[in-house]
Amino acid sequence: MTRGQTPAAQAQRLRVQLDRANHRYYALDDPEISDEAYDALLDELRRLEAEHPDLVTPDSPTQRVGAAPVDRLQKVEHLQAMLSLPNVRAAEELRQWVARMRAHLAREGIEDPAIEYVVEPKVDGLAISLIYRDGVLDRGATRGDGRIGEDVTHNLRTIASIPHRIEGAPALLEVRGEVYMSLHDFTALNERRAQAGESTFMNPRNSAAGTIRQLDPKLAARRPLSFWAYQVGVTDGLTLDTHWEALAWLADHGFPVNGDVALKTSEDDVIAQCQSWEKRRGALDFEIDGAVVKVSDLGLQRRLGSVGRDPRWAVAWKFAPTTAVTKLEAIRWNVGRSGDLHPFAVLEPVRVGGVTIKLATLHNEEDLRRKDIRPGEDVIVLRAGDVIPQVVSPAPHVAEHRRRPPRPRPPARCPFCDTQTVKPEGVVFTRCPNRDCPERRWQLLTHFCSRGGMDIAGLGDKQVAMLQKRELVRTPADFYTLTEEQLLPLERFAESSVRNLLDAIEDSKRRPFDRVLFAVGIEEVGEVTAANLAVHFGDIDALLAAPAEAIAEVPGIGEKTAAVIREALDEEGMRALVAALRAHGLQFAHDGAGALDGPLAGKVLVLTGTLPELSREQATERIRAAGGRVSGSVSAKTDYLVAGDSPGSKLAKAQRLDVAVIGEAELLALLVSSAPG
Ligand code: IVH
C-alpha cells in the first residue's frame, strides 16, 4: 500500500488513472500507457477491491468484465422521446427536405436563415441513451418504442469505450449514440464461436443487438461491442448552441465521436459528403446503412420540431441497396402446403451488405422466366435492408457468352414424393397434386403450430419432421392424440419436455376461432382475412355453408379470392380436418364478447413495420379484443396506421391520406385509456 494513503484513496487514484487510459485509448485513439501497464493497474485495483469489497463501485473499471446478472430487463421511460429519422434516397429528395424545412421556418417568421448542417455516418447498430448524474453513469437504456426502452446498464458498463465517469460534467447529462460491433471484432467473434462449435451470428448488427439484451453482463463482456456518441439529449447545467459544439463537447469529455463527422454550409456540400460516405462504405471497419444530416443550430432544431416520430431537422440519407455478383449454382424447388412448387436459387456463397448469402428467393416460374437466369452462370444478387435476398438478373458479362446453358424448368416429378407434377391452365404454379406428399403435409403441420396459428411451443420444424417420420402425425388433428408413451422414447423429448409439450398442445385448444381458421391452412386465408372471416360469419357452420358471393362481402376479399376460398373449404381433406379438430374441442365460433363496445369499437387499424414489443399476431389480437378491426391496406377509411421499424409504403400512403400514424406506445395507450371501468 502506498504510504499514507487509505485503501479508499488508493482505489480512487487507480480508477482515475484507468479511466484516463481508457479515454486516451478508445475516445482519442492515442494511448498514453502500454497494454501491460494498463493491465497492471487493473490488477492492482482488482486486488484492492477483493480485499475491501465495500470499495467496489458500479462505475469501477473492474466492472467492465461484468457484474451480477439481472433477473429481467426493466422497462424505463426516456426523459425525452428518442426520435427516429425520415429517409431520403437521392439528391433531389434531400433538396426537397431542405425546401420543406425552409418553408416551415418561413411560416415561423424566420426568412431565409443560413443553415449549417452536420453530416455523420449512420452506423448500423442500435440506439442507446446514457444518463450521467453528477458525472457518473447512472443508467443506460435501449430505444425501445422511443418512449419506453429497456434498462441495459449492466451490459453497457462492460463496453470499454463508454466512460463510467466524466470530469466537469453537469448535474444531469444524457448522451445518445450507437452501440455496434466492428467488422473485425465480428469476424473474430464468429471464428471463435465456430471453433467452439457454437452458432455464428448473421451480421454485426444482430450480434450487437443480441448481446445488449442479455441478462448476464459477463456474456456481454466477452463480446466486443463499441460505442459512438452522436447526440446530447436532456441536460441540466450545460448550455450548448449547436450540435457541432455538442459533438466537440462530447469528444472533450471522453466520449468516442466519429472522427469524420463534418460541418457543411451548402446543400451541394451536404450531398457530396453523403455520396462520399456511400463510396467509402465498403472500406470501413464498421457497417453503415446511410449518412445522417442534421441542422446544427439547436435553436433552429427547436423551432423545426417534429412530426410524429420524425424530427423535421434531421434526415437519413439511405444508401442504395447492396448488390453483388456470384454464381448461380442451381435452381431448386420447394413445395408449399397447397402443392405449389416454388423455385429458389442456390448461390455460391457471397457477402452482400454485411451478410453471407447462399440462397435467394424467386417468386414463381414466371419470375424465373422473366429474369432469364440460368444455373452455371453469374447473377446479380441484391439485399435491400432486412429483406430476403433476391436474384435480380444475369450478370452483364453473361450476355457475351455465345452459348448459354439451358433454361431451368420446373421438375416433371415432385422432388419430395416423386409424383408427376401438373400445371393447370392459367395458373402460375406447377403443382404436386399428391395430397399425401410428405413435404406438403409437413408445410401444413408446421404452419398449424406456428406463432400466428396454434402457437404450440415445442413443436418447431424439426420436432414436427420427427413426429411425421415416426408416423405419429399425418394431419394437424393428430397432434391432439399424442401420448406420453409415444413421445418419451423419441430423441430430444425428455420427460419434462414431453409434459410441457402435451400441456402446450392442450392449451392450444383455447386459441380463438380466427387463429384456428388461419391455422388449418385454407388457401388465400392469412391472419387478417381469417380474423375478418371469423367476425363476419361468427362460426364455422355459417362459413362452410356460405356461397362464394357471401364470402366476397367480407372486407378485403374480392370475388376471385372468394372463389378460391370456397373451393378450398369444399375439399374433402379440409372437411375432415375441421370435423376432427372440432371433436378435439378447438374453438370454431367467434367469441365476440366485449369486442363491439371496446375502446377501439368501430375503428379500422393497419399495421406496418416491426413493433418493438408486440408481434403482429399479438397486436392484431389486442386490437380485436378492444373492438377494432385490422385491415391489410391503408385507405381513407383507416383510422390509425400503427407503424413500427422499417415501415413499408403504407406509411407514405397514410401520410398522403392524412391518416393518423401512431407507434406501439400510443396503441397500447389507446387500448387502455378509454377502456371501460
Ligand atoms: S440521430 C433525431 N445520428 O439511426 C435524431 N441516429 O432512426 C435521431 N443512427 O436507430 C437519431 N447513426 O440509432 C442519429 N449519427 C447518427 C446515427 C443514428 C445511427 C441510428 C439510430 C436510430 C436510427 C434513427
Side-chain angles (χ1 to χ4, degrees):
M1 194 204 289
T2 312
R3 201 163 356 119
Q5 268 196 341
T6 62
Q10 214 179 346
Q12 180 57 17
R13 175 183 58 81
L14 287 165
R15 280 179 200 141
V16 169
Q17 281 176 311
L18 285 160
D19 281 343
R20 193 168 57 213
N22 258 333
H23 177 204
R24 296 285 300 231
Y25 187 94
Y26 288 106
L28 307 181
D29 203 10
D30 177 23
E32 186 182 42
I33 61 174
S34 68
D35 290 359
E36 292 74 30
Y38 181 89
D39 290 343
L41 289 174
L42 193 61
D43 278 345
E44 201 180 332
L45 181 59
R46 278 208 191 102
R47 227 180 12 253
L48 200 63
E49 287 181 348
E51 279 168 26
H52 306 275
D54 53 314
L55 289 181
V56 183
T57 59
D59 65 330
S60 171
T62 57
Q63 299 304 296
R64 294 205 192 270
V65 295
V70 298
D71 296 339
R72 62 189 196 89
L73 300 181
Q74 302 286 343
K75 298 256 184 282
V76 289
E77 191 165 349
H78 294 300
L79 300 180
Q80 194 177 70
M82 289 183 81
L83 300 175
S84 51
L85 288 169
N87 295 333
V88 297
R89 284 171 205 284
E92 201 37 51
E93 288 179 23
L94 188 115
R95 292 187 200 280
Q96 286 164 2
W97 167 66
V98 173
R100 278 200 304 277
M101 251 185 342
R102 289 194 173 278
H104 185 88
L105 289 172
R107 283 197 295 278
E108 294 268 303
I110 307 174
E111 292 291 343
D112 225 13
I115 304 182
E116 289 188 326
Y117 304 89
V118 179
V119 184
E120 307 167 5
K122 187 168 186 296
V123 181
D124 206 3
L126 58 149
I128 289 291
S129 149
L130 303 170
I131 304 285
Y132 290 82
R133 293 190 192 276
D134 296 320
V136 177
L137 175 61
D138 180 48
R139 191 193 81 189
T142 60
R143 174 165 175 267
D145 64 3
R147 200 172 65 83
I148 307 231
E150 282 173 326
D151 187 335
V152 289
T153 319
H154 56 294
N155 292 329
L156 292 171
R157 282 196 206 287
T158 69
I159 301 179
S161 50
I162 293 183
H164 286 182
R165 158 188 298 280
I166 45 178
E167 297 303 321
L172 171 68
L173 169 72
E174 182 189 21
V175 176
R176 292 179 176 178
E178 197 83 353
V179 165
Y180 67 99
M181 193 175 284
S182 74
L183 286 176
H184 79 267
D185 281 337
F186 171 71
T187 313
L189 174 68
N190 262 355
E191 270 167 19
R192 265 201 334 262
R193 290 180 67 90
Q195 263 167 21
E198 293 167 328
S199 63
T200 53
F201 288 107
M202 271 269 285
N203 57 40
R205 204 201 103 82
N206 283 357
S207 67
T211 303
I212 216 67
R213 299 192 67 249
Q214 292 291 332
L215 298 178
D216 185 355
K218 297 221 166 36
L219 232 148
R222 287 200 297 270
R223 301 208 190 135
L225 292 177
S226 303
F227 177 73
W228 251 322
Y230 59 59
Q231 202 184 357
V232 170
V234 180
T235 59
D236 179 10
L238 175 69
T239 320
L240 297 159
D241 292 329
T242 66
H243 176 57
W244 186 245
E245 222 181 275
L247 292 180
W249 190 95
L250 287 170
D252 278 350
H253 288 78
F255 292 92
V257 173
N258 183 275
D260 291 325
V261 295
L263 188 66
K264 300 286 169 192
T265 49
S266 78
E267 281 170 47
D268 287 346
D269 287 353
V270 166
I271 291 166
Q273 183 69 12
C274 291
Q275 286 165 340
S276 126
W277 275 113
E278 190 155 1
K279 274 210 203 79
R280 287 176 54 200
R281 179 185 198 183
L284 303 168
D285 187 34
F286 47 89
E287 290 205 328
I288 62 177
D289 58 349
V292 182
V293 184
K294 299 173 184 171
V295 169
S296 185
D297 188 302
L298 298 178
L300 283 183
Q301 284 192 5
R302 268 190 294 277
R303 297 298 284 266
L304 284 162
S306 53
V307 223
R309 301 201 294 175
D310 288 347
R312 285 199 186 81
W313 47 267
V315 281
W317 169 288
K318 290 287 253 191
F319 295 157
T322 332
T323 59
V325 171
T326 189
K327 188 167 137 195
L328 175 63
E329 291 188 330
I331 297 288
R332 298 247 169 81
W333 300 80
N334 268 332
V335 181
R337 59 174 192 265
S338 51
D340 296 344
L341 266 73
H342 301 268
F344 65 95
V346 181
L347 306 164
E348 200 171 273
V350 63
R351 252 184 107 70
V352 188
V355 300
T356 301
I357 295 179
K358 297 182 199 126
L359 301 174
T361 51
L362 292 158
H363 299 297
N364 51 39
E365 291 166 55
E366 195 42 52
D367 192 31
L368 189 58
R369 202 179 357 260
R370 201 178 39 243
K371 289 176 174 162
D372 194 23
I373 52 174
R374 307 190 185 190
E377 290 182 342
D378 281 353
V379 291
I380 297 179
V381 291
L382 167 132
R383 180 179 162 255
D386 283 340
V387 303
I388 304 167
Q390 293 179 27
V391 178
V392 182
S393 67
H397 59 262
V398 159
E400 294 157 19
H401 287 186
R402 255 164 305 158
R403 185 175 297 154
R404 300 188 62 190
R407 284 173 182 276
R409 291 192 180 290
R413 292 186 166 276
C414 170
F416 300 93
C417 68
D418 206 38
T419 305
Q420 197 154 17
T421 58
V422 294
K423 173 136 186 182
E425 194 75 35
V427 173
V428 284
F429 291 105
T430 300
R431 308 184 58 188
C432 165
N434 175 16
R435 281 185 208 292
D436 256 333
C437 171
E439 180 68 8
R440 280 183 64 169
R441 289 208 171 271
W442 179 80
Q443 295 274 359
L444 175 60
L445 291 166
T446 52
H447 169 80
F448 184 83
C449 303
S450 70
R451 282 182 66 189
M454 292 295 96
D455 193 11
I456 305 177
L459 282 183
D461 295 0
K462 290 207 182 89
Q463 288 82 355
V464 170
M466 152 123 53
L467 295 176
Q468 203 185 353
K469 202 173 105 200
R470 300 292 164 98
E471 296 181 3
L472 294 174
V473 294
R474 213 173 62 90
T475 86
D478 297 333
F479 289 126
Y480 297 95
T481 62
L482 289 172
T483 64
E484 226 169 344
E485 295 71 48
Q486 289 175 324
L487 295 174
L488 273 175
L490 301 184
E491 234 175 283
R492 273 191 290 203
F493 283 90
E495 206 174 309
S496 71
S497 81
V498 164
R499 247 191 316 276
N500 290 343
L501 179 57
L502 291 174
D503 284 349
I505 293 174
E506 187 59 31
D507 189 51
S508 74
K509 292 182 182 170
R510 295 209 301 268
R511 303 272 180 273
F513 178 38
D514 63 309
R515 296 270 295 268
V516 180
L517 266 185
F518 171 71
V520 293
I522 304 163
E523 246 170 283
E524 298 287 344
V525 177
E527 286 165 72
V528 173
T529 303
N532 290 337
L533 284 170
V535 173
H536 190 90
F537 289 104
D539 65 35
I540 192 74
D541 294 319
L543 174 61
L544 288 177
E549 299 77 56
I551 297 176
E553 280 166 25
V554 174
I557 301 183
E559 267 171 43
K560 264 195 191 154
T561 310
V564 174
I565 295 176
R566 182 64 265 163
E567 201 179 318
L569 289 170
D570 286 335
E571 273 178 18
E572 207 181 305
M574 185 59 72
R575 295 275 168 160
L577 177 59
V578 167
L581 292 175
R582 210 175 196 180
H584 286 299
L586 274 71
Q587 305 301 312
F588 279 98
H590 177 55
D591 173 13
L596 292 175
D597 53 11
L600 286 178
K603 299 278 186 241
V604 181
L605 290 85
V606 176
L607 302 169
T608 182
T610 319
L611 299 176
E613 294 292 328
L614 295 178
S615 68
R616 234 347 119 108
E617 301 84 58
Q618 289 167 331
T620 305
E621 204 167 290
R622 303 276 293 264
I623 292 168
R624 289 201 36 248
R629 193 163 72 72
V630 176
S631 165
S633 58
V634 174
S635 75
K637 291 196 199 122
T638 310
D639 291 291
Y640 297 102
L641 176 73
V642 186
D645 260 2
S646 321
S649 58
K650 287 177 191 166
L651 180 59
K653 185 154 182 207
Q655 282 163 345
R656 233 181 7 258
L657 295 175
D658 245 354
V659 169
V661 179
I662 60 173
E664 184 184 83
E666 286 141 309
L667 170 64
L668 294 174
L670 279 179
L671 291 172
V672 291
S673 66
S674 43

mmCIF file of all heavy atoms in Angstrom, residues 83-85 120-128 143 177-178 230-231 289 292 294 311 313-314, ligand 1:
data_model
loop_
_atom_site.group_PDB
_atom_site.id
_atom_site.type_symbol
_atom_site.label_atom_id
_atom_site.label_comp_id
_atom_site.label_asym_id
_atom_site.label_seq_id
_atom_site.Cartn_x
_atom_site.Cartn_y
_atom_site.Cartn_z
ATOM 1 N N LEU A 83 -36.329 9.943 -30.997
ATOM 2 C CA LEU A 83 -36.992 10.021 -32.295
ATOM 3 C C LEU A 83 -36.330 9.084 -33.303
ATOM 4 O O LEU A 83 -35.246 8.568 -33.071
ATOM 5 C CB LEU A 83 -36.920 11.455 -32.822
ATOM 6 C CG LEU A 83 -37.582 12.513 -31.933
ATOM 7 C CD1 LEU A 83 -37.345 13.902 -32.486
ATOM 8 C CD2 LEU A 83 -39.070 12.242 -31.789
ATOM 9 N N SER A 84 -37.020 8.862 -34.408
ATOM 10 C CA SER A 84 -36.376 8.127 -35.499
ATOM 11 C C SER A 84 -36.025 9.139 -36.592
ATOM 12 O O SER A 84 -36.066 10.338 -36.350
ATOM 13 C CB SER A 84 -37.281 7.021 -36.009
ATOM 14 O OG SER A 84 -38.542 7.534 -36.300
ATOM 15 N N LEU A 85 -35.683 8.666 -37.761
ATOM 16 C CA LEU A 85 -35.261 9.586 -38.820
ATOM 17 C C LEU A 85 -36.040 9.319 -40.099
ATOM 18 O O LEU A 85 -36.195 8.166 -40.494
ATOM 19 C CB LEU A 85 -33.771 9.379 -39.132
ATOM 20 C CG LEU A 85 -32.757 9.854 -38.108
ATOM 21 C CD1 LEU A 85 -31.377 9.325 -38.454
ATOM 22 C CD2 LEU A 85 -32.736 11.372 -38.056
ATOM 23 N N GLU A 120 -23.045 12.942 -40.613
ATOM 24 C CA GLU A 120 -22.434 11.867 -39.815
ATOM 25 C C GLU A 120 -22.704 10.515 -40.474
ATOM 26 O O GLU A 120 -23.661 10.383 -41.216
ATOM 27 C CB GLU A 120 -23.082 11.836 -38.407
ATOM 28 C CG GLU A 120 -23.050 13.158 -37.709
ATOM 29 C CD GLU A 120 -23.966 13.189 -36.469
ATOM 30 O OE1 GLU A 120 -24.551 12.146 -36.120
ATOM 31 O OE2 GLU A 120 -24.082 14.269 -35.884
ATOM 32 N N PRO A 121 -21.906 9.520 -40.150
ATOM 33 C CA PRO A 121 -22.237 8.185 -40.657
ATOM 34 C C PRO A 121 -23.453 7.635 -39.908
ATOM 35 O O PRO A 121 -23.635 7.936 -38.728
ATOM 36 C CB PRO A 121 -20.991 7.358 -40.326
ATOM 37 C CG PRO A 121 -20.379 8.051 -39.161
ATOM 38 C CD PRO A 121 -20.691 9.516 -39.321
ATOM 39 N N LYS A 122 -24.278 6.883 -40.598
ATOM 40 C CA LYS A 122 -25.389 6.211 -39.912
ATOM 41 C C LYS A 122 -24.936 4.783 -39.632
ATOM 42 O O LYS A 122 -25.063 3.889 -40.469
ATOM 43 C CB LYS A 122 -26.647 6.234 -40.778
ATOM 44 C CG LYS A 122 -27.869 5.698 -40.051
ATOM 45 C CD LYS A 122 -29.137 6.013 -40.820
ATOM 46 C CE LYS A 122 -30.380 5.610 -40.040
ATOM 47 N NZ LYS A 122 -30.477 4.171 -39.813
ATOM 48 N N VAL A 123 -24.376 4.615 -38.464
ATOM 49 C CA VAL A 123 -23.786 3.328 -38.095
ATOM 50 C C VAL A 123 -24.893 2.316 -37.834
ATOM 51 O O VAL A 123 -25.902 2.636 -37.200
ATOM 52 C CB VAL A 123 -22.903 3.490 -36.843
ATOM 53 C CG1 VAL A 123 -22.262 2.174 -36.460
ATOM 54 C CG2 VAL A 123 -21.845 4.547 -37.095
ATOM 55 N N ASP A 124 -24.701 1.107 -38.335
ATOM 56 C CA ASP A 124 -25.746 0.100 -38.233
ATOM 57 C C ASP A 124 -25.607 -0.712 -36.952
ATOM 58 O O ASP A 124 -25.021 -1.789 -36.944
ATOM 59 C CB ASP A 124 -25.663 -0.812 -39.459
ATOM 60 C CG ASP A 124 -27.002 -1.423 -39.772
ATOM 61 O OD1 ASP A 124 -27.979 -1.092 -39.080
ATOM 62 O OD2 ASP A 124 -27.059 -2.244 -40.699
ATOM 63 N N GLY A 125 -26.106 -0.166 -35.886
ATOM 64 C CA GLY A 125 -26.086 -0.865 -34.601
ATOM 65 C C GLY A 125 -27.408 -0.611 -33.935
ATOM 66 O O GLY A 125 -28.440 -0.727 -34.575
ATOM 67 N N LEU A 126 -27.385 -0.276 -32.632
ATOM 68 C CA LEU A 126 -28.655 0.088 -32.030
ATOM 69 C C LEU A 126 -28.501 1.310 -31.142
ATOM 70 O O LEU A 126 -27.446 1.524 -30.546
ATOM 71 C CB LEU A 126 -29.276 -1.076 -31.272
ATOM 72 C CG LEU A 126 -28.486 -1.698 -30.158
ATOM 73 C CD1 LEU A 126 -29.411 -2.225 -29.107
ATOM 74 C CD2 LEU A 126 -27.657 -2.831 -30.733
ATOM 75 N N ALA A 127 -29.576 2.095 -31.106
ATOM 76 C CA ALA A 127 -29.544 3.369 -30.392
ATOM 77 C C ALA A 127 -29.603 3.132 -28.886
ATOM 78 O O ALA A 127 -30.342 2.267 -28.409
ATOM 79 C CB ALA A 127 -30.715 4.222 -30.829
ATOM 80 N N ILE A 128 -28.831 3.928 -28.174
ATOM 81 C CA ILE A 128 -28.723 3.790 -26.726
ATOM 82 C C ILE A 128 -28.784 5.175 -26.095
ATOM 83 O O ILE A 128 -28.277 6.131 -26.657
ATOM 84 C CB ILE A 128 -27.358 3.137 -26.383
ATOM 85 C CG1 ILE A 128 -27.349 1.672 -26.784
ATOM 86 C CG2 ILE A 128 -26.997 3.301 -24.928
ATOM 87 C CD1 ILE A 128 -28.262 0.781 -25.961
ATOM 88 N N ARG A 143 -33.510 1.998 -27.104
ATOM 89 C CA ARG A 143 -34.509 2.948 -27.582
ATOM 90 C C ARG A 143 -35.934 2.427 -27.358
ATOM 91 O O ARG A 143 -36.825 3.192 -27.040
ATOM 92 C CB ARG A 143 -34.274 3.183 -29.074
ATOM 93 C CG ARG A 143 -35.301 4.019 -29.737
ATOM 94 C CD ARG A 143 -34.761 4.477 -31.085
ATOM 95 N NE ARG A 143 -35.768 5.192 -31.821
ATOM 96 C CZ ARG A 143 -36.585 4.629 -32.702
ATOM 97 N NH1 ARG A 143 -36.512 3.333 -32.929
ATOM 98 N NH2 ARG A 143 -37.470 5.341 -33.347
ATOM 99 N N GLY A 177 -26.284 7.600 -28.531
ATOM 100 C CA GLY A 177 -25.343 7.123 -29.538
ATOM 101 C C GLY A 177 -25.680 5.712 -29.954
ATOM 102 O O GLY A 177 -26.734 5.173 -29.613
ATOM 103 N N GLU A 178 -24.761 5.152 -30.697
ATOM 104 C CA GLU A 178 -24.993 3.849 -31.307
ATOM 105 C C GLU A 178 -24.033 2.815 -30.729
ATOM 106 O O GLU A 178 -22.820 3.045 -30.710
ATOM 107 C CB GLU A 178 -24.774 3.991 -32.821
ATOM 108 C CG GLU A 178 -25.349 2.895 -33.648
ATOM 109 C CD GLU A 178 -26.835 3.088 -33.946
ATOM 110 O OE1 GLU A 178 -27.477 4.013 -33.410
ATOM 111 O OE2 GLU A 178 -27.364 2.276 -34.721
ATOM 112 N N TYR A 230 -23.556 10.334 -30.646
ATOM 113 C CA TYR A 230 -23.958 11.221 -31.736
ATOM 114 C C TYR A 230 -24.937 12.321 -31.325
ATOM 115 O O TYR A 230 -25.418 13.067 -32.153
ATOM 116 C CB TYR A 230 -24.488 10.444 -32.935
ATOM 117 C CG TYR A 230 -25.688 9.542 -32.680
ATOM 118 C CD1 TYR A 230 -26.884 10.041 -32.190
ATOM 119 C CD2 TYR A 230 -25.612 8.172 -32.969
ATOM 120 C CE1 TYR A 230 -27.967 9.232 -31.978
ATOM 121 C CE2 TYR A 230 -26.697 7.350 -32.761
ATOM 122 C CZ TYR A 230 -27.871 7.879 -32.268
ATOM 123 O OH TYR A 230 -28.940 7.063 -32.053
ATOM 124 N N GLN A 231 -25.244 12.409 -30.039
ATOM 125 C CA GLN A 231 -26.190 13.449 -29.649
ATOM 126 C C GLN A 231 -26.142 13.693 -28.143
ATOM 127 O O GLN A 231 -25.969 12.750 -27.368
ATOM 128 C CB GLN A 231 -27.612 12.997 -30.024
ATOM 129 C CG GLN A 231 -28.604 14.128 -30.169
ATOM 130 C CD GLN A 231 -30.016 13.619 -30.438
ATOM 131 O OE1 GLN A 231 -30.258 12.413 -30.571
ATOM 132 N NE2 GLN A 231 -30.950 14.532 -30.522
ATOM 133 N N ASP A 289 -25.457 2.125 -42.915
ATOM 134 C CA ASP A 289 -26.507 1.936 -43.917
ATOM 135 C C ASP A 289 -26.975 3.279 -44.456
ATOM 136 O O ASP A 289 -28.004 3.369 -45.109
ATOM 137 C CB ASP A 289 -27.668 1.119 -43.351
ATOM 138 C CG ASP A 289 -28.279 1.749 -42.126
ATOM 139 O OD1 ASP A 289 -27.691 2.700 -41.585
ATOM 140 O OD2 ASP A 289 -29.354 1.288 -41.696
ATOM 141 N N VAL A 292 -26.280 10.537 -41.858
ATOM 142 C CA VAL A 292 -27.312 11.327 -41.193
ATOM 143 C C VAL A 292 -26.964 12.798 -41.364
ATOM 144 O O VAL A 292 -25.817 13.194 -41.168
ATOM 145 C CB VAL A 292 -27.402 10.979 -39.690
ATOM 146 C CG1 VAL A 292 -28.516 11.776 -39.020
ATOM 147 C CG2 VAL A 292 -27.636 9.491 -39.498
ATOM 148 N N LYS A 294 -27.937 16.584 -40.068
ATOM 149 C CA LYS A 294 -28.670 17.274 -39.003
ATOM 150 C C LYS A 294 -28.445 18.778 -39.105
ATOM 151 O O LYS A 294 -27.322 19.212 -39.385
ATOM 152 C CB LYS A 294 -28.161 16.814 -37.627
ATOM 153 C CG LYS A 294 -28.346 15.344 -37.360
ATOM 154 C CD LYS A 294 -27.661 14.925 -36.062
ATOM 155 C CE LYS A 294 -27.794 13.421 -35.888
ATOM 156 N NZ LYS A 294 -26.991 12.920 -34.769
ATOM 157 N N PRO A 311 -38.101 13.871 -36.611
ATOM 158 C CA PRO A 311 -37.762 15.288 -36.477
ATOM 159 C C PRO A 311 -37.801 15.935 -37.862
ATOM 160 O O PRO A 311 -37.578 15.263 -38.868
ATOM 161 C CB PRO A 311 -36.319 15.246 -35.948
ATOM 162 C CG PRO A 311 -35.776 13.941 -36.422
ATOM 163 C CD PRO A 311 -36.932 12.990 -36.480
ATOM 164 N N TRP A 313 -35.734 18.357 -38.462
ATOM 165 C CA TRP A 313 -34.391 18.942 -38.602
ATOM 166 C C TRP A 313 -33.302 17.917 -38.933
ATOM 167 O O TRP A 313 -32.125 18.255 -38.945
ATOM 168 C CB TRP A 313 -34.024 19.694 -37.321
ATOM 169 C CG TRP A 313 -34.305 18.915 -36.062
ATOM 170 C CD1 TRP A 313 -35.442 18.967 -35.312
ATOM 171 C CD2 TRP A 313 -33.452 17.973 -35.420
ATOM 172 N NE1 TRP A 313 -35.362 18.102 -34.244
ATOM 173 C CE2 TRP A 313 -34.136 17.483 -34.292
ATOM 174 C CE3 TRP A 313 -32.169 17.485 -35.683
ATOM 175 C CZ2 TRP A 313 -33.593 16.541 -33.429
ATOM 176 C CZ3 TRP A 313 -31.631 16.541 -34.819
ATOM 177 C CH2 TRP A 313 -32.345 16.076 -33.715
ATOM 178 N N ALA A 314 -33.677 16.685 -39.160
ATOM 179 C CA ALA A 314 -32.661 15.677 -39.492
ATOM 180 C C ALA A 314 -33.225 14.684 -40.492
ATOM 181 O O ALA A 314 -34.434 14.427 -40.501
ATOM 182 C CB ALA A 314 -32.204 14.950 -38.223
HETATM 183 S S1 IVH B 1 -29.657 10.766 -34.705
HETATM 184 C C1 IVH B 1 -33.497 12.664 -34.186
HETATM 185 N N1 IVH B 1 -27.332 10.052 -35.636
HETATM 186 O O1 IVH B 1 -30.462 5.679 -36.765
HETATM 187 C C2 IVH B 1 -32.188 12.035 -34.146
HETATM 188 N N2 IVH B 1 -29.004 8.382 -35.407
HETATM 189 O O2 IVH B 1 -33.762 6.309 -36.994
HETATM 190 C C3 IVH B 1 -32.271 10.565 -34.208
HETATM 191 N N3 IVH B 1 -28.277 6.141 -36.047
HETATM 192 O O3 IVH B 1 -31.926 3.871 -34.513
HETATM 193 C C4 IVH B 1 -31.024 9.843 -34.133
HETATM 194 N N4 IVH B 1 -26.213 6.677 -36.589
HETATM 195 O O4 IVH B 1 -29.669 4.502 -33.667
HETATM 196 C C5 IVH B 1 -28.569 9.645 -35.306
HETATM 197 N N5 IVH B 1 -25.223 9.560 -36.411
HETATM 198 C C6 IVH B 1 -26.433 9.159 -36.077
HETATM 199 C C7 IVH B 1 -26.837 7.811 -36.201
HETATM 200 C C8 IVH B 1 -28.141 7.471 -35.852
HETATM 201 C C9 IVH B 1 -27.087 5.696 -36.486
HETATM 202 C C10 IVH B 1 -29.476 5.310 -35.862
HETATM 203 C C11 IVH B 1 -30.137 5.457 -34.538
HETATM 204 C C12 IVH B 1 -31.588 5.187 -34.767
HETATM 205 C C13 IVH B 1 -31.734 5.421 -36.223
HETATM 206 C C14 IVH B 1 -32.580 6.652 -36.445
#
